[in-house]
Amino acid sequence: MNATTALLRMLVFPGILFAAPAAWFFLWIERKAMAALQQRIGPPFMQPFFDFVKLMGKQVPPREGLGGFLMKLWPVLAVAASAGAVGLLPVIPRSGGFPGDLVLLLSLLELPSMFIIAAGFSSRSLWGELGSSREAILSVSYNVVFLMAIIGIAASQHTFSLQALAQSQGSPLRWLGVLAILICLPAKLHMNPFSVTNAEQEIYAGPMTEYTGHELALWELAHGMEWVAATGLVATLIAPPLANPWMAGALFVVLSVAVVLVLTIVAAATARLTIDDSVRFFWRCALAFAVLGVSSVLLMRIKL
Amino acid sequence: MNLWKKLLCYSRRKSPWLFHMNSGSCNGCDIELIAGLTPRYDAEQLGVKHEASPRHADIICISGPVTHTAVNAMKTVYGQVCHPKAVVAIGSCPASTNVFIDSRVLDGPLDRHIPVDVYVPGCPPRPDAILAGIAKAAEILAARAGQEAQPAAAPVAAEEEKA
Amino acid sequence: MNILRLLLNNFLGGSITTRFPNRPPADKGFRGLVRYDPQICTGCGVCAYRCSSRGISFRSSRTAYTWAYDPGQCTYCGRCVDGCEAHAITQEAAPPPLYYKRDELNLAHTTQRPLPPPKKKPEAAPATGEAK
Ligand code: SF4
């Protein structure tokens, strides 16, 4: 992968230029599916795009000093990080990649939630700080499970390259890992039942309480791209290897949308857990699951 | 540039986000507003999102006859909603203090404090009437695109943190 | 698991939403805007007396009386309709329309009182629906 292809992947496909419409589309699918499950019509087509444009045209109150600068900075960084994460996805097989890009993808996926924590604290709003501390506690809990699941999968295939993971056959252990990842995704994407972070209405809008206008628009975009990246990661792991690149790309998109639908059904079927319960869930149930996965992978390697 | 303006106008009409404020209402109007979000009326078909933070909102829905205690909070909220914004007065209460007229705890009606764009009459109004009011307010919002600033709340609203 | 069945049924059942510009029809006994018929009104003023929110005001002098109505003030309770002996007041069975300025929907009617001895019949009222 040389510099031009890297740039192309970052900026055009599947980076920003592709990821932004995909983000809006995924957010729309999520809202529409939620509406369909509740016997509603739901938002018109591409509603998140109009939300984005409207927010871009809204005034932002004057913010001064370092705090104001940081409040402008965090959403931009979050968009950059999640766009980078989307750019790493092997949507079309054999389109390049490098050993260890899985590690980079994981860190880029983790960055937006860090920025959200920082954003809540720098907005100096009580509700923002409350939301940020919740996000911090939650991300400490789910990330252990998430990373363990990924490590288990990677270790079972002896590789940290997304390309190789996408090409290899799935094993039962991989499915265990994918299940663990799916359990963590609602927490990563602030969906029910782990939506304590932004807990709409309960603590106003959590870390986003003070953000308006283009800042909020960028946050929404970053959130949508996180959706694309996270569901794309799962799609990479579960997609069977196909020879035809177009077929593979189409399958990738279909699988991502399917993951979105699964997450939406989970969100529609559950209610918000309190922060104690979510953390307890991750440390007690999901962690056992992930430890089981990783240890069995390691044991298998010893036997080999 | 012109295209962007048109798109902006269109989007403002398509995605009104609400902030609902209760200024001492009997809860009749609040329940009807929430009924507007239920499957039967589904405000989301208009792109409406019921936002929790006034910073995110475009349209402020105010119900209730504006009690003395609510006035300051209401002005703060009005100041916190950023520039293109519209106010919808839900029910007869904010329009005229309704049956609570002459009560000593009231400082109404609403338009003494902040400019109101749409009144939805009724006590309480039906959810579909509230939706029609919101759609109208969204149109007013879109027409306001060119306007630079908006009338502030009667004595200029204090921009203070909501803590 | 019950909830999943519920969601499935919801999904298969399709949406039950009323599309936006359509509105569900008002029920039969819906209490909407108050309508006033000056021809029938006897000028007793009991509607203003019964009004729970001072939406109706009634000013009367020796030669004329004015009936005024402020829909913004009205609570649509229907007490005026119930109390009107002559059935000069009715209520529309449709939700009241939106309005954009205070007092936009206000109505006022002034009716001349019949002069006591010579004339027996009340004069035809000039039904002026102009804003107050
Ligand atoms: S208008 Fe009627 S229903 Fe609404 S808050 Fe006032 S009294 Fe309650």
Side-chain angles (χ1 to χ4, degrees), chain A residues 75-293:
Chain A
V76 178
L77 289 181
V79 168
S82 40
V86 177
L88 285 174
L89 290 176
V91 178
I92 297 197
R94 282 185 292 285
S95 58
F98 50 92
D101 53 0
L102 180 63
V103 179
L104 183 58
L105 176 68
L106 288 184
S107 60
L108 286 179
L109 263 182
E110 191 41 39
L111 278 178
S113 80
M114 300 256 183
F115 294 143
I116 286 178
I117 297 170
F121 280 115
S122 53
S123 74
R124 301 269 196 120
S125 143
L126 181 61
W127 313 108
E129 290 174 10
L130 198 56
S132 287
S133 53
R134 284 177 174 197
E135 165 79 17
I137 295 169
L138 198 62
S139 73
V140 165
S141 336
Y142 74 73
N143 265 325
V144 176
V145 182
F146 189 68
L147 294 181
M148 279 212 163
I150 299 267
I151 289 173
I153 293 172
S156 74
Q157 305 290 348
H158 300 264
T159 177
F160 266 111
S161 148
L162 280 167
Q163 199 70 51
L165 275 180
Q167 291 302 314
S168 60
Q169 285 298 328
S171 62
L173 272 178
R174 174 180 296 194
W175 289 104
L176 199 68
V178 168
L179 202 61
I181 294 176
L182 275 182
I183 291 176
C184 295
L185 280 192
K188 218 171 185 52
L189 300 171
H190 313 308
M191 296 277 287
N192 271 346
F194 304 116
S195 59
V196 272
T197 301
N198 53 350
E200 313 89 25
Q201 311 284 348
E202 182 192 328
I203 48 169
Y204 295 89
M208 304 292 107
T209 304
E210 279 296 317
Y211 288 83
T212 28
H214 57 83
E215 299 159 357
L216 186 63
L218 290 182
W219 277 122
E220 296 273 322
L221 184 61
H223 183 61
M225 288 199 199
E226 257 189 291
W227 266 98
V228 179
T231 54
L233 177 63
V234 178
T236 312
L237 292 179
I238 59 180
L242 282 181
N244 185 339
W246 293 110
M247 287 282 286
L251 185 69
F252 185 88
V253 174
V254 170
L255 283 176
S256 309
V257 171
V259 174
V260 173
L261 291 182
V262 168
L263 289 181
T264 313
I265 291 173
V266 170
T270 51
R272 185 183 302 147
L273 292 176
T274 58
I275 181 76
D276 303 18
D277 284 338
S278 333
V279 171
R280 203 171 292 136
F281 172 81
F282 278 117
W283 283 108
R284 285 210 186 138
C285 318
L287 186 64
F289 204 50
V291 168
L292 198 73

Side-chain angles (χ1 to χ4, degrees), chain B residues 80-92:
Chain B
Q80 276 175 338
V81 176
C82 295
H83 166 45
K85 59 187 160 194
V87 179
V88 180
I90 296 183
S92 296

Side-chain angles (χ1 to χ4, degrees), chain B residues 95-108:
Chain B
S96 62
T97 68
N98 200 3
V99 279
F100 307 112
I101 190 167
D102 283 352
S103 165
R104 280 187 291 162
V105 301
L106 293 189
D107 203 0

Side-chain angles (χ1 to χ4, degrees), chain B residues 22 24-30 32 63-65 90-94 97-100 120 122-125, chain C residues 74-75:
Chain B
N22 175 338
S25 112
C26 76
N27 251 300
C29 289
D30 310 343
E32 296 300 313
S63 57
I90 296 183
S92 296
C93 275
T97 68
N98 200 3
V99 279
F100 307 112
V120 185
C123 178
Chain C
C74 183
T75 186

Side-chain angles (χ1 to χ4, degrees), chain B residues 75-163:
Chain B
K75 281 181 187 162
T76 311
V77 164
Y78 184 79
Q80 276 175 338
V81 176
C82 295
H83 166 45
K85 59 187 160 194
V87 179
V88 180
I90 296 183
S92 296
C93 275
S96 62
T97 68
N98 200 3
V99 279
F100 307 112
I101 190 167
D102 283 352
S103 165
R104 280 187 291 162
V105 301
L106 293 189
D107 203 0
L110 182 61
D111 55 0
R112 268 181 41 201
H113 303 290
I114 59 177
V116 181
D117 295 298
V118 180
Y119 291 94
V120 185
C123 178
R126 286 160 66 97
D128 50 305
I130 297 180
L131 283 198
I134 288 166
K136 204 76 206 171
E139 269 165 37
I140 292 174
L141 202 70
R144 215 165 250 169
Q147 205 172 312
E148 263 324 302
Q150 238 170 295
V156 180
E159 280 276 335
E160 42 186 50
E161 294 295 340
K162 193 170 54 169

